[in-house]
């Protein structure tokens, strides 16, 4: 059993952006995550040689074992273990390794391969672990937190707009294009593609009524699409201000300590 | 006949975000609205079993009756009945139930089914009733009110731009694509799809002149599409400031009352 | 010959947003412009009856004569005639009527019909006359003036980006799609459609290199498309501030006059 | 050997926005750059006559020689030569002429024509030299510098989002469309085209799961696409403020010198 002091010191090695071993450790983990995403991407390519596939799978096993070790060490070093396990980062760390062991279990139990392969794709969530290693990213997270309530209302407004648009276009286009606009759920796909201005071109109105309705919906929709821009950017500048206030307060506190 | 005091108390049950029965009642209405939109959506799916269709229609009747009751109670409890009936919310509440009774009337009179089915789609307007139940949504409405005049001018500018673009592309593309750009109304469809950057790909210029004109129109258009973003986000921050001013004034008034 | 005082009074009838006859006159002109745009639009529809076409053409002649009269009266009433003629509004007023007379001249000279028809489309420029009649529109014009220099630089940046993108995609895609990306001018069309996020789908990269290049260009491009949003909205708020400053100064001046 | 004073004077001729010969020289270089981009563009057109091609190539040689001379003079006049050579502008000036000489070398060595032709396209980078000649453009560069760290984090977030989206859509669509969504790299193309709202329409989901996932990804994605708008516009206004501060300080300094 090691002392609490020692644990605190080791913790700075894991998370630390100040200590040298901490930075070194960070870069290794970031490199492992990037490497694992690349292997996952290559693994899905059709026509890989059996040798390459074998190598990619061994890579996967090794990296998962490293992340399992990291997870175990983090639990061991945490001042409050359960709090870490149920914290945002604790869950991310678990989600990053769990699929492998569940897959292993299924593999032993003899479940069919296709489902197992899909499970392997969950490795992409390792990318979320990257969010721990950047100061500026923390500012983005703070900004999304600040604007959360308004973003939720914006999402609700968008949902209402999507349903009303889908119902309207269903009314206008269903008689003319009974396959593309077969029902409101089908029309919802049109509403999503149109209001986000993606416009694939797989479904579009051909009647005069439907086109006029599209114009009307887009005029309202562009006003609504403009909303998150304002929300996110004003929240971002608020987060930046908060940060500099905190840094100022720290500097002042240091100044008093010295004086 | 119940007293005015009692009425005021019951009103808090309907609208109240503070009183407990008010909150409970709100959640029931929100749930009913969500349920009815889901049933409407499912109802339009082709190939439903007769049993499901029957169940969906009974649901519709029950919910309409509940909303009719709500409408009647709101009229009864209103301090000024005619003012409520012609208020924004009064009209929304009426529009939510009226189609059912008009439909019923038509059904009894023996009008053909297709028109009746379209009428049923008006149930989607029940979604607008949701706007009553959110504080943040009220802020959005206030923001749109603040920017109303400028948004109208923006709409006018967009309309002018659309007509000028449609006339221009008609000049360039009509000789080369006499079907897709058959007239200015046909070209307007192109202008809408292009200037909103949806770009379905059903109509696009193929001549050098038409393509150069498209570039020119898009350069101007992107500047104009940028306008609502600024309008909505500045109006939104003004609405937020107003709100906090009101809350401050309330707190001060409370402070004086206590002191 | 009428006195300068009288002229000034009549001028308020033409432009005035305060005087009653001025407002009345404004609404008539706005109505005529709207009517003439509608007739132009209908006129391009294929399959109009000869009677309708005749009626539309007579409408056109009548409205042009009214606008010619308006132009003559404006010149007559202007304090400095040449200055009005070469002012922004003077040129717009001339451009609104000139095509008709040039067309008439060509018609008499016996030039072929197709060119004449295209000339008629210039009537759409009457829409620009609408810009005279709105206070808020004046604010938009002021905002565009304030941001003019930056918008020009933005346009230059966009042009550079378009040429660099077109050259890049030409390098990657020309060997694979020698028709769609036949030359840099052909590739410019792709660059315009892609960087404005319209994406018709008539040309798109199919090689891995071209797709990676598209990703790179879009990442840079989205940052640049974001520029006018900021420019226009900050200029718009500056224009609004200027206006309220002027109104404040006017109110103060009135206050001093009264006190 | 000329004196340092003289060199400084000549330098103002090259860069100067104040001195008359400096401005004259600037306009000539800007004109040459524009001319060379036009010749490059025309050169790629199929079906040019041999005479035109010959003329374009001679133009290219002449302009390259002029820019080589400019580069040599700039090195000669620089107060610190190596610092200029490795500065941003020094590298741009070199990149503008180097391809020609490398091409010449390859041509003499007898390398195949296709590679040489691609090299010639690098002339498009001459456009970057334009960035030296505008004050407002300097403000844009300053703004991008100010927001650099945040823009990098935004790029990282976009990359993570793209990979997660591609993996998700691969899971949903690969069984239904094994060719369009053959692997994660193939799906990345879909993610790029969709999240930037370009939407060519060459790949799009057709399963209910894939469409629902697209909706989810777009809701998150629009919030993220909104980020650079805020970043760039706030950085731009900061850059503008800095500039006016500097100008104010200069005016004050002048005032003191005079007083």
């Amino acid at each position: 059993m090691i002392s609490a002091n020692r644990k605190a010191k080791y913790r700075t090695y894991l998370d630390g952006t100040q200590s040298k071993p901490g930075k070194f450790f960070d870069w290794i983990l970031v490199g492992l995550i990037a490497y694992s995403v690349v292997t996952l991407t290559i693994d899905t390519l059709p026509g890989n040689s059996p040798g390459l596939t074998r190598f990619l799978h061994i890579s996967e096993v090794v990296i998962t074992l490293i992340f399992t070790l990291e997870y175990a060490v983090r639990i061991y070093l945490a001042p409050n273990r359960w709090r870490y396990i149920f914290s945002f980062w604790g869950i991310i760390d678990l989600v990053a390794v769990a699929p492998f062991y569940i897959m292993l279990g299924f593999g032993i139990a003899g479940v069919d391969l296709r489902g197992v392969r899909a499970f392997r794709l969950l490795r992409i969530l390792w990318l979320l672990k990257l969010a721990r290693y950047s100061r500026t990213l923390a500012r983005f997270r703070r900004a999304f937190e600040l604007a959360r309530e308004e973003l939720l209302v914006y999402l609700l407004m968008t949902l209402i707009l999507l349903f009303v648009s889908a119902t309207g276009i269903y009314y206008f286009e269903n008689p003319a294009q009974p396959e593309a606009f077969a029902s409101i759920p089908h029309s919802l796909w049109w509403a999503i593609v149109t209001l986000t201005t993606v416009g694939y071109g797989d479904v579009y109105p051909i009647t005069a009524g439907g086109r006029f309705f599209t114009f009307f919906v887009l005029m309202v929709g562009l006003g609504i699409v403009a909303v998150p821009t304002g929300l996110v950017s004003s929240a971002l500048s608020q987060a930046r201000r908060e940060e500099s206030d905190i840094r100022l307060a720290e500097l002042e506190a240091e100044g008093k300590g010295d004086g």
Side-chain angles (χ1 to χ4, degrees), chain A:
Chain A
M1 204 72 200
I2 58 173
S3 73
N5 259 356
R6 275 228 132 132
K7 275 191 188 177
K9 197 182 146 198
Y10 288 146
R11 266 205 307 281
T12 65
Y13 292 174
L14 277 171
D15 292 321
T17 42
Q18 272 92 29
S19 74
K20 248 198 181 152
K23 268 189 186 167
F24 178 73
F25 192 76
D26 280 8
W27 279 112
I28 286 183
L29 285 186
V30 168
L32 281 176
I33 293 166
Y35 174 74
S36 106
V37 169
V38 169
T39 59
L40 173 64
T41 304
I42 295 172
D43 196 17
T44 63
L45 281 172
N48 284 336
S49 70
L52 180 60
T53 304
R54 216 185 133 79
F55 172 75
L56 294 173
H57 288 195
I58 291 169
S59 289
E60 189 192 340
V61 172
V62 172
I63 295 173
T64 307
L65 289 178
I66 294 173
F67 284 141
T68 311
L69 190 69
E70 187 212 350
Y71 184 54
V73 170
R74 277 188 195 278
I75 291 179
Y76 179 68
L77 291 180
N80 184 334
R81 278 166 200 179
W82 288 110
R83 221 174 116 196
Y84 162 70
I85 289 170
F86 291 107
S87 72
F88 178 71
W89 293 121
I91 290 165
I92 291 284
D93 286 338
L94 180 61
V95 162
V97 296
F100 177 79
Y101 295 103
I102 296 171
M103 224 160 71
L104 203 75
F106 276 134
I108 291 164
V111 178
D112 99 290
L113 261 164
R114 168 72 206 161
V116 172
R117 212 182 154 201
F119 236 67
R120 181 174 292 153
L121 295 174
L122 282 172
R123 255 194 295 159
I124 202 76
L125 296 175
W126 288 358
L127 277 174
L128 295 178
K129 288 181 81 140
L130 283 177
R132 212 197 304 248
Y133 302 115
S134 164
R135 240 199 172 193
T136 322
L137 205 57
R139 193 188 299 157
F140 278 91
R141 258 190 303 128
R142 178 80 190 119
F144 279 106
E145 236 167 74
L146 282 169
R148 198 180 40 195
E149 197 199 355
E150 280 177 328
L151 283 172
L152 278 176
V153 171
Y154 160 74
L155 198 70
L156 182 70
M157 278 167 65
T158 308
L159 276 174
I160 292 177
L161 184 67
L162 284 175
F163 266 95
V164 172
S165 307
T167 308
I169 207 76
Y170 170 74
Y171 169 71
F172 285 112
E173 293 292 323
N174 177 267
Q177 305 186 71
E179 293 219 358
F181 296 90
S183 68
I184 291 183
H186 285 85
S187 306
L188 267 171
W189 175 240
W190 168 86
I192 291 166
V193 169
T194 300
L195 281 167
T196 56
T197 79
V198 170
Y200 287 125
D202 51 344
V203 277
Y204 49 82
I206 54 169
T207 66
R211 287 177 169 190
F212 190 82
F213 181 75
T214 304
F215 168 63
F216 175 77
V217 158
L218 276 167
M219 280 300 103
V220 177
L222 289 187
I224 285 179
V225 164
V227 168
T229 308
L231 293 177
V232 171
S233 68
S234 85
L236 209 54
S237 58
Q238 196 179 330
R240 221 181 286 138
R241 238 175 300 130
E242 279 181 20
E243 256 178 61
S244 56
D245 284 1
I246 289 170
R247 220 167 300 162
L248 266 176
E250 283 174 2
L251 284 173
E252 251 172 53
E254 280 175 30
K256 275 185 192 157
D258 294 348

